[in-house]
Amino acid sequence: MRILIALLLLFPLTGASAADYPLTIDNCGFKESFEHPPERVVTIGQHETELLLALGLQDKIVGTSVWFGALPDELKQQGEKLKRLAENAPGFEAVAAQRPELVLAQYSWHVGPQGEVATRQQFEQLGIRTWISPADCTAKSVTATSNGDGARSEPYSINIIFDEITALAHIFAVPARGEALKQKLAARIAAAQRNNHTQPQAPLKVVYWFSSTRLKGDPWVAGSKGAPGWISKTLGLTNIIDSDEEWPAVTWEHIVKSQPDIIVIASMERRLYPADDVATKKQFLETDPVTREMPAVKNGHIVVVPAMSLNPSLRNVEAVELIGHQMNAFAPSK
């Protein structure tokens, strides 16, 4: 991992040349053609919104949706005037009414074969191009045994996000901005690794709790091949959940038996379920007769990170920074 980041810092990634139009790009099994950089874009998914903001393309965004929380500090100014079509999934008509040339979706369940908003074909019939984050279709699909979040056949890597930066920077004819963003993210990852001073005798065990439909029911926790798997590997942690599923439901009894050293919980503004709230999560962990016996709870080793940072996105880097910082704080004084 450290070698990978070093190489990213030394050598620009491919695809940095200016786009030649018409431009055709493969995306999640679709070929999308562009005669010019899109001028009107609707984002369905906070990751796509933040990626465009990070590329300095806020003036192209005519509508946003599917928000988990606030923008990171470095993007708040650029995003302060963004139009929100919906906090969750918008309606097809609401998106089409913005007259976008391009719709960017973070998840295929919003814009896909059974899209909650619409299928790609429905948008294409209106002359609207579509894009799905490659992180949601590369070696990932809903299987016969997975829940709706799907499962991965190969581990996720931040490189998928770097490739998406390259592709979108190409589409919008801002390749230099894309390269600069990747270099910045790579430098932050390398710095977080250098600043991680914990040296336990064995890798610390971690579990990532996103939410739950019922507090005493099975929580949705991160499988081993999604974004938290990459975060764990980057920080030298061991995820106690060995599952190909992105966010499987796992019993508290199994989690307690695994004795995690650290519990990472997702913070979000969404309130679809009781455990969307961080304070509710913490109170449950500290008062339930089963969960309060875990080492992570007894030692106060609970880390709160934005929900967006636990799903494939630019914010995975933020999770590495936040968790790494807390790991240093948890380490015993020498």
Side-chain angles (χ1 to χ4, degrees):
M1 180 61 69
R2 293 177 191 274
I3 294 175
L4 168 64
I5 299 302
L7 289 173
L8 287 172
L9 289 168
L10 287 172
F11 302 105
L13 300 184
T14 59
S17 59
D20 296 320
Y21 296 94
L23 172 67
T24 299
I25 290 184
D26 290 327
N27 171 244
C28 293
F30 272 68
K31 289 185 182 295
E32 294 289 2
S33 296
F34 300 88
E35 298 294 330
H36 56 81
E39 291 295 329
R40 298 179 62 83
V41 183
V42 168
T43 56
I44 304 176
Q46 190 169 341
H47 161 60
E48 301 303 328
T49 303
E50 293 181 359
L51 200 162
L52 290 190
L53 292 177
L55 289 173
L57 297 170
Q58 56 268 23
D59 292 342
K60 310 290 186 184
I61 304 174
V62 296
T64 68
S65 55
V66 188
W67 289 86
F68 276 103
L71 291 169
D73 289 343
E74 65 269 20
L75 297 179
K76 283 183 177 178
Q77 183 175 358
Q78 297 96 305
E80 62 183 358
K81 295 182 180 179
L82 291 178
K83 181 178 182 179
R84 293 197 182 198
L85 304 180
E87 296 301 312
N88 295 304
F92 175 59
E93 294 80 6
V95 175
Q98 310 311 309
R99 297 181 292 109
E101 295 177 70
L102 175 64
V103 170
L104 300 180
Q106 182 173 350
Y107 301 113
S108 57
W109 74 64
H110 286 134
V111 180
Q114 288 82 40
E116 183 180 358
V117 178
T119 64
R120 298 185 80 159
Q121 290 85 351
Q122 284 176 283
F123 280 117
E124 297 287 344
Q125 287 171 1
L126 297 180
I128 301 171
R129 304 289 183 265
T130 56
W131 172 273
I132 297 173
S133 178
D136 202 54
C137 66
T138 303
K140 178 177 180 281
S141 63
V142 176
T143 69
T145 57
S146 75
N147 58 25
D149 289 317
R152 292 187 183 273
S153 57
E154 297 176 7
Y156 163 84
S157 165
I158 197 68
N159 288 345
I160 299 175
I161 301 299
F162 280 29
D163 289 345
E164 182 176 18
I165 293 170
T166 297
L168 289 180
H170 201 186
I171 289 170
F172 286 93
V174 289
R177 297 183 197 176
E179 292 304 310
L181 177 58
K182 289 183 291 186
Q183 295 289 335
K184 179 181 177 181
L185 294 171
R188 288 173 59 188
I189 296 168
Q193 290 180 313
R194 287 195 305 270
N195 294 332
N196 183 5
H197 304 305
T198 57
Q199 295 181 332
Q201 293 181 343
L204 296 174
K205 294 183 292 184
V206 63
V207 64
Y208 300 84
W209 181 14
F210 197 86
S211 190
S212 311
T213 55
R214 296 180 299 108
L215 278 175
K216 290 188 177 294
D218 297 346
W220 290 312
V221 293
S224 56
K225 289 186 176 179
W230 175 81
I231 294 165
S232 297
K233 183 177 179 182
T234 302
L235 292 171
L237 297 168
T238 297
N239 186 349
I240 65 170
I241 307 300
D242 184 14
S243 172
D244 293 347
E245 290 190 53
E246 196 86 335
W247 291 101
V250 178
T251 66
W252 281 115
E253 288 73 17
H254 175 81
I255 294 170
V256 172
K257 185 178 179 181
S258 299
Q259 296 286 282
D261 300 297
I262 298 173
I263 299 175
V264 177
I265 58 179
S267 170
M268 65 193 83
E269 293 178 357
R270 187 189 76 176
R271 291 295 182 268
L272 293 178
Y273 308 107
D276 284 350
D277 181 62
V278 164
T280 301
K281 285 190 184 85
K282 283 186 173 181
Q283 182 180 32
F284 172 77
L285 289 171
E286 293 166 355
T287 60
D288 182 82
V290 175
T291 61
R292 69 188 182 193
E293 296 303 317
M294 288 187 286
V297 178
K298 285 184 172 181
N299 296 324
H301 291 180
I302 298 173
V303 182
V304 178
V305 301
M308 271 301 301
S309 71
L310 297 181
N311 284 320
S313 66
L314 304 176
R315 302 281 286 277
N316 296 154
V317 177
E318 181 182 6
V320 168
E321 292 170 332
L322 291 172
I323 297 169
H325 176 76
Q326 286 300 308
M327 286 172 64
N328 287 333
F330 294 155
S333 302
K334 295 183 179 180

